[in-house]
């Protein structure tokens, strides 16, 4: 009797999950299929295109600055990810393995910044960018994300689990502190580095609010900003099939990152909760 109840409950659980998958996947599937429709076909009722049409993709590469926006997003996401891994790794290691005056206070100050909404930070960010002539520049887009409080917290938690005896043995062998951090400590927190790198890359790839504020020319736009402004600036009418094509191409790097590092994502997040 108990076995039957378990089987019935499993059926309902799987049914519920499949319904959830349909609701989540349908808009994504509709976006991809719509990108292969002509504009008249787009307004016709039906999920599948009457005829495969790649005119939207031809228009994207021939008539828009999409490649430039793509390159901007990729450069910014990769750069910010690398700097986050390096700086958050260094700061997290320092908080985990060294004692200094005000250590607890500074760590609390860093964590407290996580409670401040981004919308409240854009004004001081803009003032800083304006004073330093960073408006409409790569550095102006990137500097708010160079070091993030979450990354410092995550790396500090993982470095706390690295045995001190291992680090002391390296010091006895004559290794410097920086080399100990790079050669001994960093390889032992690969799961945290992978999780932080993936989350940082995806977050900066999809960033919209700050890039749309700090950029003023089309050449400096990132993908979310370029797609959004393109969809609202077409005086001849919105070409929805083209926007669907842009959006489809925009998710390709995220899918690649997920397929390659999906086990690292789950491992890193689960270990973060355990820590």
């Amino acid at each position: 009797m108990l076995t039957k109840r378990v089987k019935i409950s499993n059926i309902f659980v799987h049914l519920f999950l499949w319904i959830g998958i349909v609701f989540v996947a349908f808009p994504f599937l509709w976006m991809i299929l719509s990108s292969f429709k002509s504009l008249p076909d787009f307004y016709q009722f039906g999920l599948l295109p009457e005829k495969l049409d790649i005119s939207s993709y031809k228009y994207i590469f021939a008539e828009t600055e999409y490649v430039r926006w793509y390159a901007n997003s990729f450069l910014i996401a990769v750069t910010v990810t690398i700097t986050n891994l390096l700086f958050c790794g260094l700061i997290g290691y320092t908080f985990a393995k060294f004692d200094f005056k005000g250590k607890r206070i500074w760590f609390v100050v860093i964590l407290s910044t996580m409670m401040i909404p981004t919308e409240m930070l854009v004004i001081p960010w803009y003032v800083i960018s304006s004073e330093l002539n960073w408006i409409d520049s790569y550095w102006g887009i990137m500097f708010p994300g160079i070091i993030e409080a979450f990354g410092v917290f995550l790396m500090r938690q993982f470095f706390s689990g690295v045995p001190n005896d291992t680090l002391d043995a390296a010091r006895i062998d004559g290794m410097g502190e920086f080399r100990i951090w790079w050669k001994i400590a960093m390889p032992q927190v690969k799961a945290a580095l992978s999780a932080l790198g993936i989350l940082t890359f995806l977050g900066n790839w999809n960033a919209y609010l700050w890039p749309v504020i700090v950029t003023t020319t089309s050449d400096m736009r990132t993908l979310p900003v370029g797609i959004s402004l393109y969809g609202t600036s077409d005086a001849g009418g919105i070409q929805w099939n083209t926007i669907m094509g842009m959006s489809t191409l925009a998710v390709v790097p995220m899918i690649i990152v997920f397929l390659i590092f999906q086990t690292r994502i789950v491992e890193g997040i689960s270990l973060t909760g355990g820590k």
Side-chain angles (χ1 to χ4, degrees):
M1 187 69 178
L2 182 60
T3 304
K4 289 183 178 180
R5 289 181 179 178
V6 172
K7 289 183 178 180
I8 293 175
S9 63
N10 286 338
I11 291 173
F12 278 105
V13 168
H14 283 83
L15 180 62
F16 179 78
L17 290 175
W18 276 108
I19 293 174
I21 290 173
V22 170
F23 275 101
V24 172
F26 177 78
F28 183 72
L29 179 63
W30 179 82
M31 176 186 72
I32 296 175
L33 293 176
S34 296
S35 69
F36 290 100
K37 294 180 178 180
S38 61
L39 189 58
D41 189 18
F42 180 87
Y43 290 102
Q44 300 297 320
F45 180 79
L47 179 63
L48 298 175
E50 294 183 1
K51 180 181 178 182
L52 287 178
D53 190 309
I54 61 172
S55 59
S56 61
Y57 290 97
K58 292 180 179 179
Y59 182 85
I60 289 171
F61 291 107
E63 303 295 335
T64 70
E65 296 182 75
Y66 189 81
V67 175
R68 179 59 184 263
W69 303 339
Y70 214 96
N72 289 343
S73 288
F74 187 80
L75 174 63
I76 291 168
V78 170
T79 303
V80 173
T81 299
I82 293 174
T83 57
N84 252 280
L85 295 179
L86 291 176
F87 293 134
C88 292
L90 273 171
I91 299 172
Y93 177 76
T94 301
F95 276 112
K97 296 303 179 182
F98 292 95
D99 290 321
F100 52 90
K101 189 175 181 179
K103 172 182 174 179
R104 291 179 178 273
I105 296 176
W106 281 114
F107 188 64
V108 171
V109 169
I110 291 175
L111 291 184
S112 65
T113 62
M114 297 174 62
M115 297 184 290
I116 304 175
T118 303
E119 291 78 6
M120 295 181 62
L121 296 173
V122 293
I123 295 177
W125 286 348
Y126 191 86
V127 172
I128 294 172
S129 299
S130 179
E131 291 292 332
L132 298 176
N133 295 319
W134 289 348
I135 300 296
D136 202 40
S137 67
Y138 288 118
W139 183 248
I141 299 173
M142 292 188 294
F143 87 90
I146 293 297
I147 305 174
E148 294 185 353
F150 171 75
V152 174
F153 168 75
L154 179 67
M155 298 311 301
R156 187 258 187 189
Q157 296 300 96
F158 274 82
F159 277 126
S160 297
V162 176
N164 290 327
D165 293 341
T166 304
L167 305 180
D168 291 337
R171 293 187 182 101
I172 294 173
D173 290 339
M175 294 182 68
E177 290 298 334
F178 184 84
R179 192 179 177 192
I180 291 173
W181 166 75
W182 182 255
K183 293 288 187 180
I184 306 299
M186 289 287 273
Q188 297 190 51
V189 293
K190 288 182 179 179
L193 291 171
S194 298
L196 178 60
I198 293 165
L199 295 175
T200 303
F201 179 86
L202 297 182
N204 283 273
W205 183 263
N206 292 319
Y208 174 78
L209 180 60
W210 175 242
V212 77
I213 292 174
V214 77
T215 56
T216 58
T217 62
S218 180
D219 287 344
M220 291 305 303
R221 291 175 185 170
T222 57
L223 268 182
V225 177
I227 295 174
S228 174
L229 296 182
Y230 171 81
T232 58
S233 62
D234 191 356
I238 300 177
Q239 300 182 20
W240 285 109
N241 59 333
T242 301
I243 295 176
M244 294 300 108
M246 290 180 173
S247 302
T248 299
L249 293 174
V251 301
V252 170
M254 292 186 286
I255 295 175
I256 294 175
V257 168
F258 177 77
L259 291 177
I260 296 176
F261 299 105
Q262 57 181 323
T263 56
R264 289 289 188 181
I265 296 175
V266 176
E267 181 183 0
I269 294 176
S270 62
L271 288 177
T272 303
K275 290 287 182 179

